[in-house]
Amino acid sequence: MSNFKIYHTLPEDAVSIRKKVFMEEQGFQDEFDDIDDIADQIVLYEADVPAATCRIYWNTQKQDYVVGRIAVIKEFRGKSLGAAILREAENQVKKQNGKALYLAAQVRAKGFYEKSGYTAVGEEFLEEYCPHIWMYKKL
């Protein structure tokens, strides 16, 4: 059974998931940044095992909320946990009276976000040599 925990600091469970997915699997180097100091972190647990994570924060440039660092541990993929943690992020933003949610999607994951109601905006850009595109959804 899944359950979510919301943290106002970066918990070790989120660090572990992001290291495994983004650094070990995908080769990113600059995984952790100053946004982690201001973001709320969400961790999804499957039978008390940390399985997925993301972070949400207010972005002054966008004047809206951003969800990022959405990651699901390899052993838990194919069980719709990515969609579940994205829905939970949307719910948390709605609780804070957010009207829209933005994310910088890896281009290869664009279809996943489109299925969840997100629309691409602007041009693709590189983040550590990986093509990304901004997407948003009105809540």
Side-chain angles (χ1 to χ4, degrees):
M1 180 169 140
S2 300
N3 71 310
F4 299 95
K5 288 188 183 171
I6 314 299
Y7 298 89
H8 301 296
T9 58
L10 181 61
E12 190 52 45
D13 287 343
V15 170
S16 173
I17 292 168
R18 286 169 52 184
K19 279 183 178 176
K20 283 179 187 164
V21 172
F22 294 121
M23 297 177 86
E24 294 170 20
E25 283 182 38
Q26 298 181 7
F28 286 96
Q29 311 261 319
D30 301 326
E31 176 52 27
F32 301 96
D33 57 25
D34 293 344
I35 292 170
D36 286 319
D37 298 335
I38 62 164
D40 284 344
Q41 311 281 338
I42 304 172
V43 179
L44 182 155
Y45 294 87
E46 279 287 299
D48 295 326
V49 176
T53 191
C54 71
R55 67 182 186 185
I56 51 175
Y57 63 96
W58 177 259
N59 182 295
T60 52
Q61 286 180 307
K62 299 246 178 254
Q63 285 296 299
D64 242 314
Y65 287 90
V66 172
V67 60
R69 301 305 203 260
I70 300 166
V72 178
I73 294 288
K74 190 179 241 174
E75 303 86 282
F76 291 98
R77 292 182 195 149
K79 299 179 180 186
S80 300
L81 299 188
I85 200 155
L86 188 56
R87 276 192 310 274
E88 182 62 21
E90 292 169 2
N91 291 338
Q92 292 301 318
V93 168
K94 286 179 193 173
K95 286 181 186 176
Q96 297 174 47
N97 297 316
K99 304 293 182 227
L101 190 55
Y102 284 82
L103 57 86
Q106 291 183 15
V107 170
R108 64 183 184 80
K110 184 178 163 195
F112 164 77
Y113 294 110
E114 288 172 335
K115 286 180 195 163
S116 296
Y118 287 78
T119 303
V121 289
E123 300 294 317
E124 291 182 14
F125 61 95
L126 292 178
E127 193 168 292
E128 283 197 62
Y129 309 105
C130 179
H132 284 67
I133 189 156
W134 279 103
M135 302 184 80
Y136 83 101
K137 178 180 181 178
K138 288 186 179 177
L139 301 178

